[in-house]
Amino acid sequence: MIMAQLGTTDLDVFPLCLGGNVFGWTADRDGSFAVLDAYAAAGGNFVDSADVYSAWVPGNSGGESETILGEWMAARGNRERVVLATKGGRLPPFDGLSSKAIHGAVEASLRRLGTDYIDLYYVHYDDPDVSVADIVAAHDALVRAGKVRYVAVSNMAPARIREALAVADREGLARFVAVQPHYNLMERTGFEHDVLPLAEAENLATVPYYALAKGFLTGKYRPGAEVDSPRAQGAAAYLDERGARVLAELDLIAAAHGVPVAAVALAWLAAQPTVAAPISSARTPRQLADLLPIGELRLSEEELSALNSVSN
């Protein structure tokens, strides 16, 4: 098993970050525990959540994912072995990025997670009404208080990220160490043209979300196939000529390595510049098993080039 260093931090992470968006949504508490147990048994240690997961589910109010994750860590006594990432700023009453909202959101997440520190804390979405300097200062205060070890960012324009890094460097404040973008074989342009140059120049680790293109890159979604999943409609959007080419190449490489298609798609992502660990979720241990070969799977230059070609 090859662990990945998360950018400039001292965090060593499993090459698959387990997404917690399904906890309290398509996976109930017991199902979530089963997935988390299987992930940990395979050597996994990097879990991603957010305060707003899963407020979109009827009957939920947000915070369900963090609560389940906190209960699991307490039950297993493994908090120190987990690299815990979560995101804030989307769940009322602590939505937005004012200093009051940031501090309130962190305190609420810490309570739900049952811990006194978060390893990696992301700005989930930018708040253009708040200055970059104020956002950086509020997050620096969290680091200095020991409530957050490192800060990171998702869904913020590169120009604002660049400004935030400049402020942090100038003022001697905690700087973003990672970025969480939308990036996968089917969604390349935005990241590779806009965010990647910044990540490379600033030594930011990349932890991509939607790593399997809403499930399309698992290979389950084919012309005429019926898939019972809340994400079926989103995945089906990729069922065009380009999507067919990508699936065909994934099929060939997966067969050559004797691994599931999803593992190949994740391995391609893990091999891209600045990527520390792609994020993917699983509702069941069986789904997780299709992802876990990423821990040891390494694609050849020829295989990576072929996937680059068909996905352009």
Side-chain angles (χ1 to χ4, degrees):
M1 188 63 60
I2 301 174
M3 303 294 272
Q5 183 179 356
L6 189 75
T8 58
T9 76
D10 63 355
L11 301 174
D12 291 324
V13 297
F14 189 74
L16 171 70
C17 180
L18 184 63
N21 60 315
V22 297
F23 303 154
W25 176 25
T26 55
D28 62 14
R29 184 181 184 276
D30 289 344
S32 300
F33 273 38
V35 170
L36 286 159
D37 284 341
Y39 176 68
N45 72 334
F46 190 18
V47 184
D48 178 85
S49 189
D51 58 2
V52 75
Y53 297 166
S54 47
W56 56 86
V57 179
N60 283 3
S61 56
E64 288 79 13
S65 172
E66 289 183 332
T67 297
I68 288 173
L69 183 52
E71 291 174 351
W72 175 74
M73 290 188 296
R76 303 298 183 259
N78 63 356
R79 171 64 189 94
E80 294 184 357
R81 298 193 297 276
V82 175
V83 176
L84 179 60
T86 195
K87 303 178 287 290
R90 295 288 282 179
L91 185 64
F94 305 118
D95 46 333
L97 295 178
S98 68
S99 179
K100 181 178 180 180
I102 289 170
H103 285 271
V106 166
E107 293 295 345
S109 286
L110 289 171
R111 286 194 297 272
R112 288 188 292 264
L113 291 163
T115 184
D116 57 4
Y117 70 99
I118 295 164
D119 295 292
L120 187 65
Y121 190 68
Y122 290 92
V123 173
H124 199 169
Y125 284 85
D126 195 8
D127 182 349
D129 293 331
V130 181
S131 73
V132 164
D134 287 347
I135 294 170
V136 171
H139 283 86
D140 177 77
L142 299 177
V143 175
R144 292 179 185 275
K147 296 176 182 180
V148 170
R149 293 184 64 191
Y150 297 101
V151 290
V153 62
S154 182
N155 303 301
M156 181 180 283
R160 290 265 287 181
I161 298 174
R162 190 174 287 107
E163 183 184 353
L165 294 170
V167 168
D169 291 344
R170 183 177 66 246
E171 303 295 333
L173 304 178
R175 73 188 327 258
F176 297 140
V177 299
V179 60
Q180 187 178 128
H182 183 186
Y183 184 39
N184 56 60
L185 267 168
M186 303 303 298
E187 299 283 354
R188 296 178 54 185
T189 304
F191 172 75
E192 293 178 359
H193 287 185
D194 300 330
V195 182
L196 177 57
L198 172 61
E200 290 184 313
E202 297 288 351
N203 294 316
L204 301 178
T206 300
V207 187
Y209 67 85
Y210 285 158
L212 292 175
K214 301 179 181 179
F216 176 74
L217 295 172
T218 63
K220 294 185 298 185
Y221 299 89
R222 311 273 181 166
E226 294 281 341
V227 180
D228 181 16
S229 169
R231 296 179 176 177
Q233 185 174 357
Y238 296 109
L239 275 174
D240 55 17
E241 184 179 344
R242 175 170 168 260
R245 291 198 307 269
V246 170
L247 288 181
E249 192 62 40
L250 288 172
D251 287 340
L252 289 173
I253 298 172
H257 287 273
V259 298
V261 165
V264 177
L266 292 173
W268 174 87
L269 198 52
Q272 302 311 302
T274 75
V275 173
I279 302 171
S280 190
S281 58
R283 289 181 291 161
T284 65
R286 182 175 178 179
Q287 286 187 349
L288 179 68
D290 285 349
L291 315 179
L292 291 174
I294 189 181
E296 298 178 347
L297 178 61
R298 298 296 177 267
L299 303 182
S300 69
E301 289 300 322
E302 293 76 15
E303 290 167 336
L304 291 169
S305 178
L307 288 169
N308 286 339
S309 178
V310 296
S311 62
N312 270 331

